[in-house]
Amino acid sequence: MTKRILAIASLVLAAPLQAQDFATSFDATEVAPGLYMLTGAEGKFGVGNMSVLVGDDQVLLIDDAMVPTAQPVLDAVNKLAGRAPDFVINTHIHGDHVGGNALMQENGAYVVAHDNIRKRLSADSKDAGGDGGLPIITFSDSVTFHVNGHEVFVFHVHHAHTDGDGVIHFRDQNVIHAGDTLFNNLFPYIDLDSGGSVEGFIKAQEKLIAMSDDDTVLIAGHGELASKADVERNLAVLVDGRKRVKALVDQGMSEEEVLAANPLADYHDDYNWSFITTERMTRTHFRDLTSE
Protein backbone atom coordinates (compact mmCIF):
# COMPACT_ATOMS: atom_id res chain seq x y z
CA MET A 1 0.00 0.00 0.00
CA THR A 2 1.56 3.25 -1.09
CA LYS A 3 1.69 6.46 0.90
CA ARG A 4 -0.70 7.96 -1.65
CA ILE A 5 -3.32 5.38 -0.76
CA LEU A 6 -2.59 5.77 2.93
CA ALA A 7 -3.11 9.50 2.57
CA ILE A 8 -6.72 8.78 1.68
CA ALA A 9 -7.05 6.84 4.93
CA SER A 10 -6.56 9.99 6.93
CA LEU A 11 -9.68 11.48 5.38
CA VAL A 12 -11.84 8.81 6.98
CA LEU A 13 -11.29 10.37 10.38
CA ALA A 14 -11.61 13.91 9.07
CA ALA A 15 -14.68 13.82 6.82
CA PRO A 16 -17.11 11.36 5.19
CA LEU A 17 -16.06 9.91 1.86
CA GLN A 18 -18.32 9.23 -1.09
CA ALA A 19 -18.90 5.56 -1.84
CA GLN A 20 -16.87 5.73 -5.04
CA ASP A 21 -13.77 6.64 -3.04
CA PHE A 22 -13.72 3.17 -1.47
CA ALA A 23 -12.42 0.01 -3.06
CA THR A 24 -15.07 -2.02 -4.82
CA SER A 25 -12.75 -4.99 -5.26
CA PHE A 26 -9.61 -6.31 -3.63
CA ASP A 27 -6.32 -7.68 -4.89
CA ALA A 28 -4.99 -10.89 -3.37
CA THR A 29 -1.25 -11.45 -2.94
CA GLU A 30 -0.24 -14.99 -1.99
CA VAL A 31 2.35 -14.78 0.80
CA ALA A 32 2.41 -18.54 1.56
CA PRO A 33 0.52 -21.52 0.11
CA GLY A 34 -3.17 -20.81 0.67
CA LEU A 35 -2.49 -17.59 2.61
CA TYR A 36 -3.24 -14.25 0.94
CA MET A 37 -2.98 -10.57 1.80
CA LEU A 38 -5.95 -8.49 0.62
CA THR A 39 -5.55 -4.85 -0.44
CA GLY A 40 -7.77 -2.41 -2.34
CA ALA A 41 -7.66 -2.94 -6.11
CA GLU A 42 -6.71 -0.28 -8.67
CA GLY A 43 -5.15 1.97 -6.07
CA LYS A 44 -8.46 2.62 -4.32
CA PHE A 45 -8.94 2.89 -0.60
CA GLY A 46 -9.19 -0.55 0.96
CA VAL A 47 -8.23 0.51 4.48
CA GLY A 48 -6.22 -1.82 6.73
CA ASN A 49 -4.41 -4.78 5.24
CA MET A 50 -6.27 -8.08 5.64
CA SER A 51 -5.30 -11.70 5.17
CA VAL A 52 -7.24 -14.83 4.42
CA LEU A 53 -6.27 -18.47 4.88
CA VAL A 54 -8.15 -20.80 2.55
CA GLY A 55 -8.38 -24.58 2.51
CA ASP A 56 -10.70 -27.56 2.32
CA ASP A 57 -11.66 -27.44 6.00
CA GLN A 58 -11.92 -23.83 7.16
CA VAL A 59 -11.61 -20.29 5.82
CA LEU A 60 -9.99 -17.82 8.21
CA LEU A 61 -10.14 -14.04 7.60
CA ILE A 62 -8.00 -11.54 9.51
CA ASP A 63 -9.83 -8.18 9.78
CA ASP A 64 -12.61 -7.12 7.42
CA ALA A 65 -12.13 -3.44 6.52
CA MET A 66 -14.88 -0.81 6.90
CA VAL A 67 -18.67 -0.92 6.69
CA PRO A 68 -18.67 0.56 3.12
CA THR A 69 -16.19 -2.07 1.90
CA ALA A 70 -17.61 -5.10 3.72
CA GLN A 71 -19.41 -6.58 0.70
CA PRO A 72 -16.36 -6.30 -1.61
CA VAL A 73 -14.26 -8.01 1.09
CA LEU A 74 -16.80 -10.83 1.32
CA ASP A 75 -16.79 -11.09 -2.47
CA ALA A 76 -12.98 -11.33 -2.46
CA VAL A 77 -13.05 -14.15 0.09
CA ASN A 78 -15.72 -15.98 -1.87
CA LYS A 79 -13.61 -15.66 -5.00
CA LEU A 80 -10.54 -17.10 -3.28
CA ALA A 81 -12.17 -19.77 -1.15
CA GLY A 82 -15.44 -20.50 -2.90
CA ARG A 83 -17.40 -19.57 0.23
CA ALA A 84 -17.67 -17.08 3.08
CA PRO A 85 -15.19 -17.16 5.98
CA ASP A 86 -15.82 -19.51 8.88
CA PHE A 87 -13.91 -17.29 11.32
CA VAL A 88 -12.92 -13.62 11.38
CA ILE A 89 -10.18 -12.45 13.75
CA ASN A 90 -10.15 -8.75 14.62
CA THR A 91 -6.68 -7.36 15.34
CA HIS A 92 -8.04 -4.28 17.17
CA ILE A 93 -10.99 -1.93 17.64
CA HIS A 94 -10.69 0.58 14.78
CA GLY A 95 -13.40 0.81 12.14
CA ASP A 96 -11.04 0.15 9.23
CA HIS A 97 -10.45 -3.35 10.65
CA VAL A 98 -13.83 -4.38 12.13
CA GLY A 99 -16.29 -2.79 9.69
CA GLY A 100 -17.32 -6.04 8.03
CA ASN A 101 -18.05 -7.92 11.25
CA ALA A 102 -21.85 -7.76 11.04
CA LEU A 103 -21.96 -8.81 7.39
CA MET A 104 -19.53 -11.67 7.94
CA GLN A 105 -21.56 -12.99 10.87
CA GLU A 106 -24.76 -12.69 8.81
CA ASN A 107 -23.03 -15.02 6.35
CA GLY A 108 -22.12 -17.61 8.96
CA ALA A 109 -18.75 -16.47 10.31
CA TYR A 110 -17.76 -16.36 13.96
CA VAL A 111 -15.91 -13.16 14.91
CA VAL A 112 -13.05 -13.67 17.37
CA ALA A 113 -11.33 -10.84 19.22
CA HIS A 114 -9.64 -9.77 22.42
CA ASP A 115 -11.91 -9.13 25.41
CA ASN A 116 -11.29 -5.38 25.23
CA ILE A 117 -12.51 -5.19 21.64
CA ARG A 118 -15.88 -6.64 22.55
CA LYS A 119 -16.01 -4.39 25.61
CA ARG A 120 -15.42 -1.26 23.53
CA LEU A 121 -17.73 -2.33 20.69
CA SER A 122 -20.46 -3.14 23.19
CA ALA A 123 -20.43 0.54 24.15
CA ASP A 124 -20.61 1.67 20.51
CA SER A 125 -20.98 -0.92 17.76
CA LYS A 126 -21.51 1.27 14.71
CA ASP A 127 -17.96 0.77 13.37
CA ALA A 128 -18.60 -3.00 13.33
CA GLY A 129 -21.86 -2.65 11.43
CA GLY A 130 -24.07 -2.63 14.53
CA ASP A 131 -24.62 -5.09 17.37
CA GLY A 132 -24.54 -7.94 14.90
CA GLY A 133 -20.83 -7.20 14.56
CA LEU A 134 -19.94 -7.84 18.19
CA PRO A 135 -17.34 -10.63 18.54
CA ILE A 136 -18.96 -13.78 19.88
CA ILE A 137 -15.69 -15.49 20.86
CA THR A 138 -13.16 -13.54 22.93
CA PHE A 139 -9.81 -14.27 24.54
CA SER A 140 -7.75 -12.58 27.24
CA ASP A 141 -4.24 -13.80 26.42
CA SER A 142 -4.16 -16.18 23.46
CA VAL A 143 -6.04 -18.72 21.38
CA THR A 144 -4.86 -21.26 18.82
CA PHE A 145 -6.67 -22.32 15.64
CA HIS A 146 -5.90 -25.69 14.07
CA VAL A 147 -7.20 -25.31 10.53
CA ASN A 148 -6.33 -26.79 7.15
CA GLY A 149 -3.33 -28.57 8.66
CA HIS A 150 -1.92 -25.29 9.99
CA GLU A 151 -1.39 -23.95 13.50
CA VAL A 152 -2.50 -20.33 13.81
CA PHE A 153 -1.55 -18.74 17.14
CA VAL A 154 -3.35 -15.54 18.12
CA PHE A 155 -1.98 -13.59 21.08
CA HIS A 156 -2.54 -10.28 22.84
CA VAL A 157 0.11 -7.56 23.13
CA HIS A 158 -0.54 -5.13 25.94
CA HIS A 159 -1.23 -1.41 25.47
CA ALA A 160 0.53 -1.11 22.12
CA HIS A 161 -1.55 0.38 19.28
CA THR A 162 -4.64 0.02 21.54
CA ASP A 163 -5.52 -2.03 24.62
CA GLY A 164 -7.00 -4.85 22.56
CA ASP A 165 -4.35 -5.70 19.98
CA GLY A 166 -4.06 -9.24 18.67
CA VAL A 167 -1.17 -10.56 16.57
CA ILE A 168 -1.64 -13.66 14.43
CA HIS A 169 1.26 -16.06 13.90
CA PHE A 170 0.88 -18.61 11.13
CA ARG A 171 3.53 -20.72 12.76
CA ASP A 172 4.32 -23.39 10.19
CA GLN A 173 4.08 -20.89 7.32
CA ASN A 174 6.44 -18.38 8.97
CA VAL A 175 4.01 -15.47 8.44
CA ILE A 176 2.93 -12.93 11.05
CA HIS A 177 -0.11 -10.71 10.62
CA ALA A 178 0.77 -7.85 12.95
CA GLY A 179 -2.27 -5.62 12.54
CA ASP A 180 -1.60 -2.05 13.57
CA THR A 181 1.25 -3.01 15.87
CA LEU A 182 3.21 -2.55 12.64
CA PHE A 183 3.12 0.41 10.26
CA ASN A 184 5.80 -0.39 7.71
CA ASN A 185 7.98 2.61 6.76
CA LEU A 186 5.45 5.04 8.25
CA PHE A 187 5.14 6.86 11.54
CA PRO A 188 2.78 4.62 13.52
CA TYR A 189 -0.61 5.58 14.88
CA ILE A 190 -0.45 4.92 18.61
CA ASP A 191 -3.97 5.45 19.92
CA LEU A 192 -3.39 6.77 23.43
CA ASP A 193 -7.12 7.33 23.91
CA SER A 194 -7.86 3.64 23.29
CA GLY A 195 -5.26 2.30 25.69
CA GLY A 196 -2.19 2.40 23.46
CA SER A 197 1.25 3.57 24.59
CA VAL A 198 4.63 4.18 23.01
CA GLU A 199 6.33 1.83 25.46
CA GLY A 200 3.80 -0.89 24.72
CA PHE A 201 4.19 -0.34 20.98
CA ILE A 202 7.97 -0.68 21.34
CA LYS A 203 7.54 -3.94 23.26
CA ALA A 204 5.21 -5.23 20.57
CA GLN A 205 7.83 -4.49 17.91
CA GLU A 206 10.46 -6.26 20.00
CA LYS A 207 8.13 -9.26 20.26
CA LEU A 208 7.68 -9.35 16.48
CA ILE A 209 11.45 -9.25 15.98
CA ALA A 210 12.03 -12.03 18.53
CA MET A 211 9.49 -14.23 16.72
CA SER A 212 11.00 -13.63 13.27
CA ASP A 213 13.90 -14.90 11.25
CA ASP A 214 15.31 -13.66 7.96
CA ASP A 215 12.62 -15.52 6.00
CA THR A 216 9.60 -14.36 8.00
CA VAL A 217 6.95 -12.40 6.11
CA LEU A 218 5.12 -9.80 8.20
CA ILE A 219 1.78 -8.34 7.15
CA ALA A 220 1.56 -4.81 8.51
CA GLY A 221 -1.73 -3.18 9.39
CA HIS A 222 -0.71 -0.43 6.94
CA GLY A 223 2.14 -0.38 4.46
CA GLU A 224 3.91 -2.92 2.30
CA LEU A 225 4.80 -6.47 3.29
CA ALA A 226 7.67 -6.38 5.77
CA SER A 227 10.69 -8.41 6.77
CA LYS A 228 12.43 -8.71 10.13
CA ALA A 229 14.92 -6.07 8.95
CA ASP A 230 12.05 -3.69 8.17
CA VAL A 231 10.64 -4.08 11.69
CA GLU A 232 14.07 -3.49 13.18
CA ARG A 233 14.42 -0.28 11.17
CA ASN A 234 10.94 0.94 12.10
CA LEU A 235 11.63 0.20 15.76
CA ALA A 236 14.93 2.08 15.67
CA VAL A 237 13.14 5.17 14.35
CA LEU A 238 10.49 4.98 17.07
CA VAL A 239 13.01 4.44 19.87
CA ASP A 240 15.29 7.21 18.69
CA GLY A 241 12.37 9.58 18.20
CA ARG A 242 11.17 8.96 21.74
CA LYS A 243 14.71 9.56 23.04
CA ARG A 244 14.95 12.86 21.15
CA VAL A 245 11.62 14.12 22.44
CA LYS A 246 12.40 12.97 26.00
CA ALA A 247 15.64 14.95 26.00
CA LEU A 248 13.67 18.12 25.29
CA VAL A 249 10.97 17.27 27.82
CA ASP A 250 13.67 16.74 30.43
CA GLN A 251 14.88 20.27 29.70
CA GLY A 252 11.46 21.54 30.76
CA MET A 253 10.26 22.48 27.27
CA SER A 254 6.55 22.90 26.61
CA GLU A 255 4.80 20.97 23.86
CA GLU A 256 4.94 23.93 21.51
CA GLU A 257 8.64 24.45 22.24
CA VAL A 258 9.31 20.80 21.48
CA LEU A 259 7.40 21.10 18.21
CA ALA A 260 9.40 24.19 17.27
CA ALA A 261 12.63 22.26 17.90
CA ASN A 262 11.42 19.62 15.39
CA PRO A 263 13.29 16.66 16.92
CA LEU A 264 12.00 14.19 14.31
CA ALA A 265 13.14 16.23 11.31
CA ASP A 266 15.64 13.56 10.24
CA TYR A 267 12.79 11.10 9.68
CA HIS A 268 10.32 13.42 7.99
CA ASP A 269 11.07 12.56 4.36
CA ASP A 270 10.79 8.80 4.86
CA TYR A 271 8.14 8.41 7.57
CA ASN A 272 5.80 11.41 7.43
CA TRP A 273 2.37 10.81 5.93
CA SER A 274 -0.88 12.72 5.92
CA PHE A 275 -2.50 11.04 8.93
CA ILE A 276 0.52 10.62 11.23
CA THR A 277 2.59 13.60 10.26
CA THR A 278 5.93 14.44 11.81
CA GLU A 279 4.12 16.98 13.99
CA ARG A 280 1.52 14.47 15.15
CA MET A 281 4.16 11.85 15.92
CA THR A 282 6.03 14.43 18.00
CA ARG A 283 2.84 15.30 19.87
CA THR A 284 2.21 11.59 20.54
CA HIS A 285 5.68 11.20 22.05
CA PHE A 286 5.24 14.35 24.14
CA ARG A 287 1.82 13.35 25.46
CA ASP A 288 2.95 9.80 26.21
CA LEU A 289 6.04 11.04 28.09
CA THR A 290 4.20 13.66 30.12
CA SER A 291 0.99 11.84 30.99
CA GLU A 292 0.63 10.35 34.45
Side-chain angles (χ1 to χ4, degrees), residues 94-169:
H94 291 146
D96 58 334
H97 295 260
V98 303
N101 280 9
L103 180 64
M104 300 305 163
Q105 292 197 138
E106 288 172 9
N107 283 269
Y110 297 98
V111 173
V112 182
H114 186 263
D115 294 335
N116 288 339
I117 295 179
R118 180 176 171 92
K119 180 179 179 180
R120 289 183 179 275
L121 286 177
S122 294
D124 184 355
S125 62
K126 66 178 182 299
D127 284 346
D131 289 349
L134 294 177
I136 64 171
I137 301 171
T138 64
F139 63 93
S140 60
D141 182 57
S142 65
V143 62
T144 303
F145 290 79
H146 302 273
V147 293
N148 306 327
H150 300 297
E151 186 175 289
V152 183
F153 180 58
V154 185
F155 63 94
H156 176 52
V157 289
H158 300 277
H159 301 291
H161 174 61
T162 67
D163 62 5
D165 297 310
V167 173
I168 297 87
H169 189 192

Side-chain angles (χ1 to χ4, degrees), residues 182-203:
L182 177 59
F183 284 69
N184 191 23
N185 297 325
L186 301 160
F187 283 135
Y189 175 32
I190 300 174
D191 188 352
L192 303 180
D193 294 320
S194 296
S197 69
V198 176
E199 181 180 1
F201 200 95
I202 288 170
K203 289 181 178 178

